[in-house]
Amino acid sequence: MTSQLERPEATGGRYPSRFKQSGLRSRHLRAHAVVAVWAVLALLAAPARQSLPVARWLAIHLFLLGAATTAVVVWSEHFAVALLHARHLDERWSDARLAAVNLAVAGALVGVWSDWPALTGAACALSVGVLAAPAARRPGSVPAPCTRSNCTPSA
């Protein structure tokens, strides 16, 4: 059900968007820039077979660990909020999670490249921790549904 204020006629023919009201557009653009950087690095590593000893491995892992994992972290949070009608997470939490997953990916790649198993293991543990963190924040519960009073954009 929509109220009189939410009808498309009152908003120029479109339903109001919580995404635009929340100010998440710039954060998503920054996150997608990180995905694009990983993808470009993968494209640069792919043809460098003569100069890089493991160019194929590096290109695949730059793309899958870097670009795909970052995209999954960003979009899983976005769709969880959108489909569950939950509150938006604190921007600091989201940025910290994004930074930590990218640090973990970079650490894993450097650890394998440099043959440092301790760095590789620590980076993998950080990656698992970052990806499991949302489940640990609310074990066995679904986020509170969004209502008019608790989903207004915060200043």
Side-chain angles (χ1 to χ4, degrees), residues 28 74-85:
H28 279 276
V74 171
W75 284 103
S76 65
E77 177 183 311
H78 171 75
F79 283 118
V81 168
L83 295 175
L84 295 174
H85 301 288

mmCIF file of all heavy atoms in Angstrom, residues 28 74-85:
data_model
loop_
_atom_site.group_PDB
_atom_site.id
_atom_site.type_symbol
_atom_site.label_atom_id
_atom_site.label_comp_id
_atom_site.label_asym_id
_atom_site.label_seq_id
_atom_site.Cartn_x
_atom_site.Cartn_y
_atom_site.Cartn_z
ATOM 1 N N HIS A 28 28.613 3.485 -3.521
ATOM 2 C CA HIS A 28 28.601 2.395 -4.496
ATOM 3 C C HIS A 28 29.533 2.707 -5.667
ATOM 4 O O HIS A 28 30.193 1.807 -6.186
ATOM 5 C CB HIS A 28 27.181 2.128 -4.996
ATOM 6 C CG HIS A 28 26.385 1.281 -4.061
ATOM 7 N ND1 HIS A 28 26.466 -0.078 -4.063
ATOM 8 C CD2 HIS A 28 25.519 1.602 -3.084
ATOM 9 C CE1 HIS A 28 25.676 -0.568 -3.121
ATOM 10 N NE2 HIS A 28 25.088 0.437 -2.514
ATOM 11 N N VAL A 74 29.910 -6.066 -1.932
ATOM 12 C CA VAL A 74 29.102 -4.855 -2.108
ATOM 13 C C VAL A 74 27.654 -5.200 -2.417
ATOM 14 O O VAL A 74 26.723 -4.683 -1.794
ATOM 15 C CB VAL A 74 29.700 -3.974 -3.231
ATOM 16 C CG1 VAL A 74 28.772 -2.827 -3.576
ATOM 17 C CG2 VAL A 74 31.055 -3.447 -2.818
ATOM 18 N N TRP A 75 27.446 -6.091 -3.384
ATOM 19 C CA TRP A 75 26.085 -6.375 -3.817
ATOM 20 C C TRP A 75 25.310 -7.244 -2.834
ATOM 21 O O TRP A 75 24.086 -7.130 -2.751
ATOM 22 C CB TRP A 75 26.106 -6.999 -5.210
ATOM 23 C CG TRP A 75 26.370 -5.945 -6.235
ATOM 24 C CD1 TRP A 75 27.555 -5.718 -6.874
ATOM 25 C CD2 TRP A 75 25.471 -4.939 -6.662
ATOM 26 N NE1 TRP A 75 27.429 -4.631 -7.692
ATOM 27 C CE2 TRP A 75 26.154 -4.126 -7.587
ATOM 28 C CE3 TRP A 75 24.155 -4.624 -6.367
ATOM 29 C CZ2 TRP A 75 25.575 -3.043 -8.216
ATOM 30 C CZ3 TRP A 75 23.564 -3.551 -7.000
ATOM 31 C CH2 TRP A 75 24.267 -2.774 -7.906
ATOM 32 N N SER A 76 25.972 -8.100 -2.088
ATOM 33 C CA SER A 76 25.233 -8.885 -1.091
ATOM 34 C C SER A 76 24.684 -7.974 -0.005
ATOM 35 O O SER A 76 23.549 -8.153 0.460
ATOM 36 C CB SER A 76 26.111 -9.980 -0.503
ATOM 37 O OG SER A 76 27.190 -9.421 0.215
ATOM 38 N N GLU A 77 25.467 -6.983 0.389
ATOM 39 C CA GLU A 77 24.967 -6.018 1.372
ATOM 40 C C GLU A 77 23.812 -5.211 0.790
ATOM 41 O O GLU A 77 22.783 -5.009 1.438
ATOM 42 C CB GLU A 77 26.099 -5.087 1.789
ATOM 43 C CG GLU A 77 25.669 -4.014 2.759
ATOM 44 C CD GLU A 77 26.813 -3.082 3.086
ATOM 45 O OE1 GLU A 77 27.908 -3.573 3.404
ATOM 46 O OE2 GLU A 77 26.603 -1.859 3.003
ATOM 47 N N HIS A 78 23.962 -4.762 -0.453
ATOM 48 C CA HIS A 78 22.914 -3.960 -1.091
ATOM 49 C C HIS A 78 21.599 -4.735 -1.188
ATOM 50 O O HIS A 78 20.542 -4.230 -0.819
ATOM 51 C CB HIS A 78 23.369 -3.523 -2.483
ATOM 52 C CG HIS A 78 22.285 -2.893 -3.292
ATOM 53 N ND1 HIS A 78 21.845 -1.611 -3.063
ATOM 54 C CD2 HIS A 78 21.531 -3.382 -4.298
ATOM 55 C CE1 HIS A 78 20.869 -1.326 -3.909
ATOM 56 N NE2 HIS A 78 20.666 -2.391 -4.668
ATOM 57 N N PHE A 79 21.674 -5.982 -1.687
ATOM 58 C CA PHE A 79 20.444 -6.749 -1.863
ATOM 59 C C PHE A 79 19.860 -7.226 -0.540
ATOM 60 O O PHE A 79 18.646 -7.379 -0.426
ATOM 61 C CB PHE A 79 20.670 -7.913 -2.825
ATOM 62 C CG PHE A 79 20.705 -7.470 -4.258
ATOM 63 C CD1 PHE A 79 21.843 -7.646 -5.015
ATOM 64 C CD2 PHE A 79 19.615 -6.857 -4.843
ATOM 65 C CE1 PHE A 79 21.896 -7.224 -6.326
ATOM 66 C CE2 PHE A 79 19.646 -6.426 -6.154
ATOM 67 C CZ PHE A 79 20.790 -6.607 -6.897
ATOM 68 N N ALA A 80 20.689 -7.472 0.450
ATOM 69 C CA ALA A 80 20.157 -7.832 1.767
ATOM 70 C C ALA A 80 19.325 -6.687 2.328
ATOM 71 O O ALA A 80 18.229 -6.892 2.859
ATOM 72 C CB ALA A 80 21.292 -8.181 2.724
ATOM 73 N N VAL A 81 19.818 -5.470 2.193
ATOM 74 C CA VAL A 81 19.076 -4.302 2.677
ATOM 75 C C VAL A 81 17.817 -4.092 1.842
ATOM 76 O O VAL A 81 16.734 -3.853 2.370
ATOM 77 C CB VAL A 81 19.973 -3.036 2.659
ATOM 78 C CG1 VAL A 81 19.163 -1.778 2.873
ATOM 79 C CG2 VAL A 81 21.053 -3.155 3.710
ATOM 80 N N ALA A 82 17.948 -4.211 0.520
ATOM 81 C CA ALA A 82 16.816 -3.935 -0.363
ATOM 82 C C ALA A 82 15.719 -4.994 -0.254
ATOM 83 O O ALA A 82 14.534 -4.658 -0.147
ATOM 84 C CB ALA A 82 17.296 -3.844 -1.810
ATOM 85 N N LEU A 83 16.082 -6.251 -0.252
ATOM 86 C CA LEU A 83 15.072 -7.306 -0.255
ATOM 87 C C LEU A 83 14.460 -7.561 1.118
ATOM 88 O O LEU A 83 13.305 -7.960 1.221
ATOM 89 C CB LEU A 83 15.664 -8.597 -0.822
ATOM 90 C CG LEU A 83 16.075 -8.515 -2.297
ATOM 91 C CD1 LEU A 83 16.750 -9.813 -2.720
ATOM 92 C CD2 LEU A 83 14.887 -8.211 -3.181
ATOM 93 N N LEU A 84 15.228 -7.352 2.162
ATOM 94 C CA LEU A 84 14.703 -7.554 3.508
ATOM 95 C C LEU A 84 14.064 -6.293 4.083
ATOM 96 O O LEU A 84 13.551 -6.307 5.183
ATOM 97 C CB LEU A 84 15.816 -8.037 4.448
ATOM 98 C CG LEU A 84 16.412 -9.398 4.130
ATOM 99 C CD1 LEU A 84 17.592 -9.679 5.044
ATOM 100 C CD2 LEU A 84 15.356 -10.480 4.259
ATOM 101 N N HIS A 85 14.132 -5.210 3.326
ATOM 102 C CA HIS A 85 13.637 -3.906 3.789
ATOM 103 C C HIS A 85 14.243 -3.554 5.141
ATOM 104 O O HIS A 85 13.569 -3.107 6.047
ATOM 105 C CB HIS A 85 12.107 -3.885 3.869
ATOM 106 C CG HIS A 85 11.462 -4.165 2.557
ATOM 107 N ND1 HIS A 85 11.466 -3.253 1.542
ATOM 108 C CD2 HIS A 85 10.817 -5.260 2.091
ATOM 109 C CE1 HIS A 85 10.832 -3.766 0.503
ATOM 110 N NE2 HIS A 85 10.442 -4.987 0.806
#
